[in-house]
Amino acid sequence: MSNQSIIFFDIDGTLLDFDKKLPESTKKAIFDLKARGHEVAIATGRAPFMFDDIREELEIDTYVSYNGQYVVLRGEVIYTNPLDKDALLQLTQTALEQNNPLVYMDADDMRASVPEEDEMITTSIHTLKVNKFPTYDPLYHQGREMYQCLLFCIGDAEKKYEQEFKSFDFIRWHPMSVDVLPKGGSKAHGIAKITEKLGFPEERQYAFGDGLNDVEMLKQIYNSVAMGNAEPEAKAVARHITKSVDENGILHGLQMVGLLD
């Protein structure tokens, strides 16, 4: 353990480039890390079913998904933090009144609150270039554990939701969509469940990210690296800043912090 580190990677804009492709230099770097005995993990806002192909390609079975609400260590679920059911019911009612669609997400699937193919849902989810798309089931959240919702709204419309729903956090990930999370839930919190269980000291913890949902992670992890394409808020709290994802940013960052030659 003395020379072993754990490295957490965000997916979109970090592992994957702007075309949602995995750069060859990044793939090689991940396998080089593992060959040196390091633990490699993913920390993402995506649902588990939205990146199973990436996990398979990179042979990674430890991950923090749903921005920290569903955590898996070496193939075993070790922590879950679902949305409050009563508050979610109230959110559903308010969102319908405001004509803001919702997508409910559990560990296995996602369903939409509106029947027709909504433009905001279609536009934002298609940017992820995933094979799955939500079908209509307005009651899907009832009797199930939901770990995240997508609220579809534009501008700063989430501000009114923030004021009304104190048990949720609202984090924008797309001009048309906001992640709805349990209050205080974050990648940082989910990561801590893994590092505590494995016993990694803070100086042996690394994290790479680029988005607003990476801010808490980059603030908490001792060896944090923001991508060159990262949001200003992410760069402001990171210990290091590497090159852009499309400029071999992962490889450069790992070399910069001394994990690879």
Side-chain angles (χ1 to χ4, degrees):
M1 175 69 75
S2 60
N3 294 318
Q4 185 185 30
S5 296
I6 186 166
I7 307 97
F8 293 89
F9 294 96
D10 169 53
I11 293 181
D12 300 287
T14 302
L15 285 178
L16 299 185
D17 63 20
F18 306 120
D19 295 320
K20 302 302 179 185
K21 298 184 184 302
L22 180 69
E24 192 58 39
S25 65
T26 296
K27 183 175 181 177
K28 183 178 184 302
I30 296 299
F31 281 98
D32 285 349
L33 285 174
K34 293 197 285 187
R36 295 178 185 221
H38 298 302
E39 188 89 26
V40 179
I42 286 173
T44 180
R46 289 190 182 209
F49 54 80
M50 285 183 169
F51 64 102
D52 47 5
D53 56 335
I54 300 170
R55 299 200 305 274
E56 182 177 348
E57 183 174 1
L58 296 178
E59 298 177 12
I60 294 174
D61 58 3
T62 295
Y63 57 90
V64 173
S65 62
Y66 282 136
N67 289 309
Q69 318 320 309
Y70 193 86
V71 180
V72 173
L73 173 60
R74 296 170 182 167
E76 178 186 353
V77 179
I78 63 167
Y79 174 75
T80 61
N81 184 32
L83 294 162
D84 179 86
K85 289 183 173 63
D86 291 336
L88 181 54
L89 182 59
Q90 295 172 12
L91 175 66
T92 295
Q93 294 170 345
T94 300
L96 286 174
E97 292 168 1
Q98 298 296 321
N99 293 318
N100 294 139
L102 283 168
V103 167
Y104 308 106
M105 311 177 82
D106 64 7
D108 303 310
D109 213 340
M110 57 182 171
R111 294 288 189 272
S113 65
V114 292
E116 68 276 1
E117 190 168 293
D118 183 85
E119 181 181 355
M120 289 196 290
I121 295 179
T122 302
T123 299
S124 54
I125 290 183
H126 278 175
T127 65
L128 297 174
K129 297 189 176 179
V130 294
N131 296 325
K132 212 169 184 62
F133 197 81
T135 54
Y136 175 56
D137 188 348
L139 303 180
Y140 189 70
H141 62 289
Q142 296 185 14
R144 292 183 174 91
E145 302 286 9
M146 298 294 122
Y147 300 105
Q148 182 169 286
C149 280
L150 304 179
L151 172 68
F152 295 88
C153 57
I154 58 175
D156 60 354
E158 70 269 26
K159 299 298 182 185
K160 63 176 178 287
Y161 289 98
E162 291 174 353
Q163 295 172 0
E164 183 174 351
F165 296 95
K166 301 300 184 182
S167 59
F168 296 148
D169 282 333
F170 297 84
I171 302 176
R172 185 164 290 279
W173 65 275
H174 186 275
M176 296 182 179
S177 186
V178 175
D179 288 333
V180 183
L181 305 171
K183 189 71 174 181
S186 70
K187 291 183 183 183
H189 189 68
I191 285 173
K193 299 299 179 181
I194 292 175
T195 56
E196 289 166 5
K197 201 168 185 67
L198 295 180
F200 280 97
E202 66 172 18
E203 64 270 16
R204 289 290 177 180
Q205 299 175 25
Y206 295 77
F208 286 70
D210 73 300
L212 295 177
N213 62 339
D214 294 317
V215 170
E216 290 301 317
M217 174 180 76
L218 296 175
K219 189 186 302 182
Q220 173 178 290
I221 299 299
Y222 184 78
N223 300 293
S224 58
V225 183
M227 304 300 290
N229 50 277
E231 297 287 347
E233 294 90 337
K235 289 181 177 179
V237 298
R239 184 174 289 264
H240 306 280
I241 300 176
T242 184
K243 295 180 180 179
S244 176
V245 63
D246 58 353
E247 297 175 328
N248 301 317
I250 291 295
L251 175 60
H252 178 76
L254 291 169
Q255 293 171 334
M256 183 171 57
V257 298
L259 288 173
L260 292 180
D261 302 324

